[in-house]
DNA sequence: GCGACCGATGATGTGCACAACATTCGGGAT
DNA sequence: ATCCCGAATGTTGTGCACATCATCGGTCGC
């Protein structure tokens, strides 16, 4: 997810980072839905390594709360129950606002261009059966917004909570109860509003907008899942 | 660090948890100072296992930012430079206050008793050459304060940031520039004030007091280290 | 027929030998 | 004397065989 993740670092460390990033992406983009069993042997064969280094990757993912290994049964992509999801979202609300207050970094022209491209992508994205483009767009927007703070620990924590919750939210969205087109319209509006705030240099406002949208999107999910 | 960490869970999971907790404690209590090299073979022999499961523990610790492994060189206890330390402390300030606002849990009589015991320990603790009792007391106070919120993700993140920073702070304290007796007097005052706030049921005030003390203690460390 | 037991099966966990890598130290050419 | 190269050493990383565990299905006893 970080910038240096996708480069072609040689050696053992590079292999580890690439496998880790790849598996995390698959989990976040719902290639592996919550509950899916991950075969160590199959993944090891796919990446062309033995089980040993792959298991190290899985151990890291387990530390991040994305998978859970059970002796003699398998390693499964974690799911998150509604209670903990609510706690996490309430925390993400506050952290989103902090992103605009703690070590804020005014966006340069290239970052502004990136936000504009994200807005174009959001407007173009039509109804799709595959959750992947949605997940990718929303994650790219999240990552772009992360660049508005220089506080590295805050970014790390934000990412940590993001990958644990958004895939669950995305899964709920596609589970049917929620109107997908409306959800994307709301998201497009969020990008527009954040972009407007950034154009006048008000980072705190941008973070408040995101805070509001995180809150509302969770509320929509909660209502859609409950009925 | 959690309650279920120190129980005697059998099987592979239990061994892992126990080794992990033990090594984390040693790092946090400065048994292994920043920069120390950890020998996989020696630790494996000590715990009576082979290198394989021990390496899994080290991988977890690396994910938590407590150690770093370098191929062909060794795994070393991490140090934190002043810049990132400042970022982390600024973040911890905000999170400390959140602990009083997000899912607050009024302390029961047993927790109040624990705080009172901590106050007694703080008052008794005289000048010592060994940092361990100080580290243990401060950590116990931190853990007790964590029980004032039911927000599990917040607690997890608080702990994560705590273990990464407090050992560095403690190391600086014992590096000489800072008056140890005065530092402990300030800490005792913090426990007293938090206890007073809890007695009248004002959890937000308790969190604000802790926020203030985190800020001030970092400032004292910064000044002591800079000169 | 039904239930309990047990063996087969397939998964993760462990131990060990070896590979890859970085550092260090010593010897030889200049 | 100095610099460079390479072997020796010690470390983490990898591959593989086996141990341990949970699950499932068949079979035996009742």
């Amino acid at each position: 997810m970080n910038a240096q993740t996708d480069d072609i670092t040689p050696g053992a460390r590079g292999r580890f980072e690439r496998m880790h990033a790849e598996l995390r992406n698959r989990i976040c983009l719902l290639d592996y839905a919550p509950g899916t069993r991950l075969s160590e042997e199959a993944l090891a064969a796919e990446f062309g390594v033995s089980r040993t280094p792959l298991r190290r990757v899985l151990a890291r993912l387990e530390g991040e709360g994305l998978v859970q290994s059970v002796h003699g049964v398998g390693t499964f992509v974690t799911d998150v129950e509604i209670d903990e999801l609510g706690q996490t979202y309430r925390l993400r609300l506050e952290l989103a606002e902090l992103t605009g207050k703690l070590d804020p970094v005014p966006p340069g022209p290239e970052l502004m261009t990136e936000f504009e491209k994200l807005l174009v992508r959001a407007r173009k994205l039509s109804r799709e059966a595959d959750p992947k483009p949605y997940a990718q767009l929303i994650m790219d927007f999240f990552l772009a917004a992360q660049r508005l703070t220089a506080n590295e620990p805050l970014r790390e924590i934000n990412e940590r909570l993001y990958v644990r919750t958004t895939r669950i939210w995305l899964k709920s969205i596609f589970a049917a109860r929620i109107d997908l087109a409306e959800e994307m319209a709301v998201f497009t509006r969020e990008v527009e509003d954040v972009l407007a705030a950034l154009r006048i240099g008000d980072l705190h406002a941008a973070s408040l907008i995101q805070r509001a949208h995180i809150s509302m999107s969770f509320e929509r999910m909660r209502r859609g899942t409950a009925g």
Side-chain angles (χ1 to χ4, degrees), chain A:
Chain A
M1 201 124 81
N2 296 322
Q4 69 271 20
T5 294
D6 42 317
D7 62 0
I8 46 163
T9 311
R13 179 59 56 102
R15 259 203 305 250
F16 173 83
E17 298 288 351
R18 266 173 291 150
M19 290 192 291
H20 174 66
E22 175 64 26
L23 288 184
R24 186 180 54 185
N25 269 352
R26 291 183 188 178
I27 294 173
C28 292
L29 304 185
L30 292 190
D31 279 338
Y32 300 142
T36 306
R37 191 180 75 82
L38 302 183
S39 169
E40 293 185 351
E41 202 158 352
L43 288 175
E46 178 191 338
F47 288 117
V49 296
S50 99
R51 278 180 54 213
T52 309
L54 182 87
R55 279 175 59 75
R56 186 169 183 166
V57 175
L58 291 181
R60 175 75 122 248
L61 291 172
E62 187 171 26
E64 296 171 340
L66 295 183
V67 305
Q68 183 168 15
S69 294
V70 183
H71 189 181
V73 182
T75 75
F76 300 89
V77 177
T78 56
D79 206 340
V80 180
E81 59 278 20
I82 190 66
D83 288 338
E84 189 189 338
L85 204 58
Q87 290 182 344
T88 307
Y89 263 94
R90 283 194 291 279
L91 179 54
R92 281 194 60 200
L93 289 189
E94 307 294 339
L95 292 179
E97 187 174 351
L98 277 183
T99 305
K101 294 198 298 187
L102 233 50
D103 305 298
V105 175
E110 70 292 337
L111 184 52
M112 289 301 290
T113 304
E114 196 167 322
F115 275 111
E116 285 158 8
K117 284 181 182 172
L118 286 167
L119 180 55
V120 173
R121 278 172 63 191
R123 284 173 174 160
K124 275 187 181 172
L125 195 56
S126 55
R127 193 174 203 83
E128 277 247 11
D130 187 22
K132 215 166 169 179
Y134 295 97
Q136 188 70 61
L137 174 60
I138 292 169
M139 181 187 283
D140 288 344
F141 176 68
F142 168 80
L143 289 175
Q146 285 294 105
R147 293 166 60 185
L148 294 173
T149 179
N151 194 301
E152 180 50 32
L154 176 57
R155 298 216 289 221
E156 179 191 318
I157 285 174
N158 271 335
E159 289 189 5
R160 194 179 174 81
L161 295 178
Y162 176 84
V163 299
R164 276 223 296 225
T165 57
T166 294
R167 64 204 176 89
I168 309 293
W169 171 79
L170 197 68
K171 177 190 161 202
S172 301
I173 296 290
F174 275 80
R177 293 268 182 188
I178 302 176
D179 186 354
L180 204 54
E182 183 183 350
E183 199 67 35
M184 281 312 291
V186 171
F187 175 72
T188 304
R189 181 64 173 272
E190 178 181 0
V191 181
E192 286 171 346
D193 291 349
V194 166
L195 199 49
L198 292 181
R199 285 213 178 94
I200 62 174
D202 193 340
L203 271 73
H204 189 200
S207 68
L208 283 175
I209 292 165
Q210 289 180 88
R211 178 192 162 121
H213 275 88
I214 292 173
S215 176
M216 291 188 293
S217 76
F218 175 68
E219 186 60 23
R220 287 194 300 275
M221 179 191 72
R222 207 179 56 73
R223 291 183 182 173
T225 313

